[in-house]
């Protein structure tokens, strides 16, 4: 195999199938739903681990080479959406739309984009038990989403609406939300929580008040 300089700038120029092919050549098993960014990180870590072994033919480039072009592309030309938990209250959602799908959308008389938040009863459920949508501007590709309290599994879908109907462009993997304290989930201004005196010494009441003001206040 010809020696290649493996660095982030080089990997960002490759399509996802080319990244999978490169990973396969070095014995890395790539799951079908692996995010492109995580795959690039895995390849970089593998290159660093094997840089001292000439049999792998992988070379970590010098800082001088990295300084030539380290700008990330604006788009990976793949229609996909991902959801990452910031904490049990907030999820960070980001997406990308391929050139072909974008051209299709622009050919419509009028269209709008939305995030459809699907609440699932179990991780392997196909049909949600609850759904709500958040309309997003066409000019952005990321959004924080407030997760309703008491939910365990969510899936985010990127949907578009036009005169011809509504269609799903992409959907994320199912995200498992850690179960939080009932005191946090049910906290409301003026609500009386019967904490034992010893627990009150920890400052739990002030913590709940600050949590409400910082995370739930604008959405009650």
């Amino acid at each position: 195999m010809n020696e290649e300089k493996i660095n982030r700038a080089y990997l960002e120029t490759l399509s996802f199938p080319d990244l999978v092919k490169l990973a396969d050549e070095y014995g890395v098993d790539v799951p079908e739903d692996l995010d492109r960014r995580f795959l690039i990180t895995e390849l970089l870590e593998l290159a660093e681990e094997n840089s001292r072994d000439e049999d792998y033919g992988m070379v970590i480039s010098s800082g001088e080479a990295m300084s030539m072009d380290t700008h990330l592309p604006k788009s990976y030309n793949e229609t996909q959406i991902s959801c990452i938990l910031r904490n049990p209250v907030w999820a960070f959602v980001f997406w990308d739309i391929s050139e072909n799908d974008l051209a299709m959308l622009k050919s419509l008389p009028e269209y709008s984009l939305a995030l459809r938040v699907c609440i699932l009863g179990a991780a392997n459920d196909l049909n949600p038990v609850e759904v709500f949508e958040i309309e997003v501007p066409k000019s952005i590709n990321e959004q924080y989403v407030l997760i309703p309290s008491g939910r365990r599994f969510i899936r985010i879908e990127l949907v578009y609406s036009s005169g011809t109907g509504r269609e799903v462009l992409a959907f994320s993997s199912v995200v498992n939300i850690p179960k939080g304290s009932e005191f946090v989930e049910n906290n409301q201004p003026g609500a009386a929580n019967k904490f034992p005196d010893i627990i009150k010494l920890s400052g739990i009441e002030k913590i709940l008040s600050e949590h409400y003001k910082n995370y739930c206040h604008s959405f009650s």
Side-chain angles (χ1 to χ4, degrees):
M1 176 180 293
N2 295 331
E3 183 174 280
E4 294 283 352
K5 288 187 176 181
I6 303 299
N7 57 55
R8 184 172 295 277
Y10 167 69
L11 295 178
E12 295 289 359
T13 65
L14 301 180
S15 65
F16 186 79
D18 288 336
L19 290 172
V20 173
K21 182 178 179 181
L22 180 60
D24 184 64
E25 291 175 357
Y26 290 100
V28 178
D29 186 19
V30 180
E32 294 182 357
D33 59 349
L34 183 65
D35 187 270
R36 172 192 176 88
R37 298 163 181 80
F38 292 140
L39 177 55
I40 289 176
T41 300
E42 288 292 326
L43 287 170
L44 289 173
E45 291 177 356
L46 181 63
E48 184 175 4
E49 292 173 0
N50 297 326
S51 61
R52 293 183 296 272
D53 189 342
E54 296 181 355
D55 292 338
Y56 285 90
M58 299 180 74
V59 178
I60 300 297
S61 66
S62 65
E64 180 180 355
M66 285 291 291
S67 65
M68 294 175 61
D69 184 12
T70 57
H71 296 290
L72 296 178
K74 292 183 178 180
S75 173
Y76 295 101
N77 199 28
E78 297 174 8
T79 300
Q80 59 180 354
I81 185 169
S82 300
C83 177
I84 300 175
L85 282 184
R86 178 181 179 184
N87 51 48
V89 177
W90 288 98
F92 179 66
V93 182
F94 56 98
W95 60 92
D96 196 12
I97 301 177
S98 70
E99 293 179 359
N100 287 340
D101 284 339
L102 193 57
M104 178 273 295
L105 291 173
K106 290 181 178 179
S107 69
L108 300 173
E110 185 176 352
Y111 76 93
S112 61
L113 295 175
L115 300 179
R116 178 185 294 162
V117 182
C118 302
I119 310 298
L120 307 176
N124 58 353
D125 283 356
L126 296 179
N127 297 321
V129 296
E130 181 183 348
V131 172
F132 66 91
E133 293 190 0
I134 303 171
E135 189 169 347
V136 293
K138 302 172 186 177
S139 58
I140 69 170
N141 62 352
E142 59 185 40
Q143 174 77 35
Y144 276 103
V145 173
L146 181 70
I147 303 170
S149 63
R151 308 309 193 267
R152 290 296 310 278
F153 304 96
I154 63 169
R155 182 181 67 239
I156 310 294
E157 298 176 349
L158 178 63
V159 301
Y160 73 90
S161 301
S162 68
T164 59
R166 301 173 64 81
E167 297 289 342
V168 176
L169 282 172
F171 56 87
S172 72
S173 301
V174 175
V175 176
N176 187 351
I177 304 168
K179 182 173 176 56
S181 167
E182 292 183 1
F183 292 120
V184 175
E185 293 178 353
N186 301 325
N187 184 44
Q188 293 290 334
N193 293 310
K194 298 180 180 180
F195 295 112
D197 291 339
I198 189 66
I199 299 298
K200 291 182 180 180
L201 292 176
S202 68
I204 184 64
E205 292 174 312
K206 182 178 180 180
I207 291 174
L208 289 176
S209 176
E210 290 298 317
H211 176 275
Y212 178 83
K213 289 191 295 183
N214 293 330
Y215 296 108
C216 302
H217 168 72
S218 300
F219 302 91
S220 297

